[in-house]
């Protein structure tokens, strides 16, 4: 008879048992309006998970959303409700030294809910690593690097403002690659906007674009050669997430390398994209892959297919960004860098010591666990009442 996945080994350390999990919705204003193809935000919403073990160790995790349940199906309201009613009760009493068992219990308690599960799993790793006095990265295989090139996203939709913003980032030596959000306006208007940006920043910055599923295949076929002529280095998710075959057809006539984002949540999605040859690069995110271990699994499928890795984000604060950096730090290759500029687009952060951004890179915070400390005053200030 196959072993039950829920047989808890007898040697479970009682002091590592998960005793308490709480979740708080926070809304943190952004420094300017951030406009994607189908949504726009002036505040970023997260669910912050706080977890306590029997030994008193605490862990934190963050579930990010973008524009309510519009970037993906999860909203902060649904994330909090499902954590409180289903996911936390499923793992209370389990040992933090059994992250796979914690994951299996949550999968049995709720379908998908990937961002909610990711936040709890991050908090489990944080508490476990703090107990052991090691960084989370060490529990994931150890660090290949301690900093990662980090880009900035231009998403006001106003090219004059975007050029000014990019100039300021270049001058401060914070970012030299810029991701331009397109798809909120007609393609011709976006092409004109990109032309202005590429002329203004020529020779000094690299541009990539993210259409967030806005185009149909005909539009993409028409626009990709224009983007190639403008020197755009990468095009992210030009087609709807369902049209993976369409992405493969676009790649059959190479113009600009394509990056998969919303079409890759699970390892099965990644396998399909790889089998169809539908992407050159994949954007890795905790909210999509449901946690640190799964992120590395998706990366492994991509690596096996020769697909490049990119460290994606959903505008996380320093908490969520730190969690990603611990996972990214252990990947053998991260050829396309990362986009964890989230802490910089917020008017305030949720930790006592925000992440360090310097010389176009973001640094893995030092210290045990995630290496960041939740600022409880800030948590109270931005908590939704
Ligand atoms: C996305 O689709 O990549 C990441 C950066 C940004 O500006 O939006 C997000 C989501
Ligand atoms: Mg994207």
């Amino acid at each position: 008879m196959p072993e039950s996945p829920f047989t808890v080994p007898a040697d479970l350390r009682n002091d590592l048992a998960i005793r308490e999990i709480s979740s708080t919705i926070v809304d943190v204003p952004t420094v300017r309006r951030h406009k994607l193809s189908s949504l726009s935000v002036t505040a970023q919403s997260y669910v912050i998970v706080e977890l306590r073990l029997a030994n008193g160790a605490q862990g934190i995790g963050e579930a990010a959303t973008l524009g309510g349940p519009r970037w993906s199906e999860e909203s902060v309201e649904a994330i909090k409700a499902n954590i409180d009613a289903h996911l936390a009760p499923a793992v209370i009493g389990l040992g933090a030294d059994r992250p796979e068992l914690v994951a299996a219990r949550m999968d049995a308690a709720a379908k998908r809910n990937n961002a909610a599960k990711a936040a709890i799993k991050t908090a489990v790793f944080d508490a476990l690593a703090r107990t052991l006095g090691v960084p989370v990265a060490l529990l994931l295989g150890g660090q290949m690097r301690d900093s990662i090139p980090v880009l900035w996203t231009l998403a006001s939709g106003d090219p004059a403002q975007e050029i000014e913003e990019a100039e300021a980032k270049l001058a401060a030596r914070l970012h030299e690659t810029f991701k331009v959000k397109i798809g909120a306006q007609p393609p011709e208007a976006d092409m004109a906007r990109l032309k202005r940006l590429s002329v203004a920043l020529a020779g000094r910055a690299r541009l990539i674009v993210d259409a967030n599923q806005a185009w149909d295949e005909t539009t993409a076929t028409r626009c990709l050669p224009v983007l190639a002529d403008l020197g755009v280095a990468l095009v992210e998710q030009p087609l709807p997430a369902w049209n993976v075959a369409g992405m493969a057809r676009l790649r059959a006539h190479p113009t600009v390398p394509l990056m998969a984002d919303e079409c890759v949540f699970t390892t099965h999605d990644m396998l399909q994209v790889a089998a169809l040859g539908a992407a050159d690069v994949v954007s890795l995110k905790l909210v999509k892959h449901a946690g640190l271990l799964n992120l590395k699994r998706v990366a492994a499928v991509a690596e096996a297919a020769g697909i490049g890795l990119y460290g994606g984000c959903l505008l996380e604060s320093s908490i969520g960004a730190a969690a990603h950096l611990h996972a990214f730090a252990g990947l053998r290759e991260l050829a396309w860098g990362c986009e964890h500029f989230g802490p910089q687009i917020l008017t305030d952060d949720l930790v006592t010591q925000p992440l360090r951004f310097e010389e176009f890179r973001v640094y893995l915070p030092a210290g045990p666990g995630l290496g960041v400390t939740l600022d409880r005053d800030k948590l109270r200030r931005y908590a939704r009442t």
Side-chain angles (χ1 to χ4, degrees):
M1 196 154 77
E3 191 196 354
S4 157
F6 303 139
T7 308
V8 180
D11 65 348
L12 183 70
R13 278 179 55 183
N14 286 336
D15 61 326
L16 292 177
I18 300 168
R19 279 278 177 266
E20 201 179 300
I21 294 177
S22 64
S23 64
T24 307
I25 295 176
V26 296
D27 303 290
V28 187
T30 54
V31 295
R32 59 146 167 79
R33 180 174 291 281
H34 200 71
K35 248 168 93 172
L36 275 66
S37 63
S38 64
L39 64 96
S40 133
V41 294
T42 51
Q44 232 329 48
S45 301
Y46 311 104
V47 175
I48 304 301
V49 168
E50 293 173 87
L51 175 148
R52 191 177 52 79
L53 304 184
N55 66 3
Q58 301 194 348
I60 52 173
E62 175 182 288
T65 60
L66 206 44
R70 281 186 289 176
W71 189 87
S72 73
E73 72 276 19
E74 288 178 274
S75 64
V76 281
E77 297 83 7
I79 290 170
K80 179 173 170 47
N82 283 328
I83 287 176
D84 294 352
H86 302 288
L87 298 174
V91 302
I92 294 289
L94 290 183
D97 54 347
R98 308 278 179 219
E100 285 293 6
L101 183 62
V102 167
R105 283 280 173 95
M106 289 201 288
D107 285 344
K111 293 270 184 285
R112 287 178 67 100
N113 282 280
N114 293 359
K117 289 174 182 172
I120 292 180
K121 292 178 191 177
T122 296
V124 169
F125 268 106
D126 187 30
L128 177 62
R130 280 176 196 278
T131 299
L132 300 171
V134 299
V136 166
L138 188 140
L139 302 181
L140 300 172
Q143 288 172 231
M144 296 284 296
R145 56 187 74 77
D146 66 2
S147 69
I148 300 172
V150 58
L151 62 67
W152 177 263
T153 295
L154 301 169
S156 71
D158 167 5
Q161 185 281 336
E162 288 170 339
I163 291 166
E164 197 182 320
E165 194 171 287
E167 291 290 4
K169 299 295 176 190
L170 283 167
R173 301 186 68 78
L174 286 170
H175 307 277
E176 57 187 348
T177 297
F178 298 96
K179 168 160 137 175
V180 186
K181 288 291 194 180
I182 60 171
Q185 49 184 352
E188 277 60 37
D190 271 333
M191 296 303 112
R193 173 180 163 222
L194 280 161
K195 179 149 197 213
R196 275 186 69 181
L197 290 171
S198 71
V199 168
L201 302 171
R204 295 181 299 134
R206 185 165 73 149
L207 292 182
I208 73 172
V209 304
D210 187 357
N212 284 110
Q213 316 185 59
W215 290 345
D216 59 20
E217 215 173 315
T218 315
T219 307
T221 304
R222 186 174 85 244
C223 292
L224 286 179
V226 181
L227 295 178
D229 285 347
L230 292 175
V232 169
L234 191 64
V235 175
E236 181 174 344
Q237 201 64 55
L239 304 185
W242 60 265
N243 198 359
V244 172
M247 293 261 285
R249 286 189 289 272
L250 293 176
R251 282 190 74 245
H253 307 284
T255 49
V256 184
L258 299 186
M259 178 151 74
D261 188 12
E262 289 94 323
C263 65
V264 175
F265 273 55
T266 66
T267 46
H268 311 290
D269 297 337
M270 189 68 248
L271 192 59
Q272 190 202 14
V273 164
L276 289 176
D280 300 274
V281 184
V282 63
S283 176
L284 302 167
K285 299 180 183 178
L286 290 174
V287 293
K288 295 194 298 174
H289 312 318
L292 297 156
L293 295 174
N294 281 1
L295 184 149
K296 293 200 77 170
R297 286 190 176 107
V298 172
V301 177
E303 279 169 341
I307 291 173
L309 304 180
Y310 171 90
C313 85
L314 210 61
L315 306 190
E316 284 84 357
S317 78
S318 283
I319 300 170
H324 281 85
L325 296 183
H326 281 270
F328 299 157
L331 298 169
R332 292 260 186 111
E333 300 283 347
L334 190 60
W336 293 85
C338 84
E339 61 178 21
H340 275 277
F341 64 93
Q344 307 254 307
I345 204 156
L346 302 176
T347 54
D348 203 353
D349 212 327
L350 299 170
V351 296
T352 52
Q353 181 77 49
L355 296 186
R356 180 154 71 97
F357 289 83
E358 223 174 86
E359 285 300 309
F360 312 113
R361 304 177 80 87
V362 58
Y363 284 79
L364 191 70
L370 291 177
V372 291
T373 305
L374 179 64
D375 184 329
R376 291 209 159 69
D377 289 338
K378 300 270 182 74
L379 186 72
R380 272 191 292 277
R381 186 177 317 158
Y382 297 107
R384 195 179 287 181
T385 46

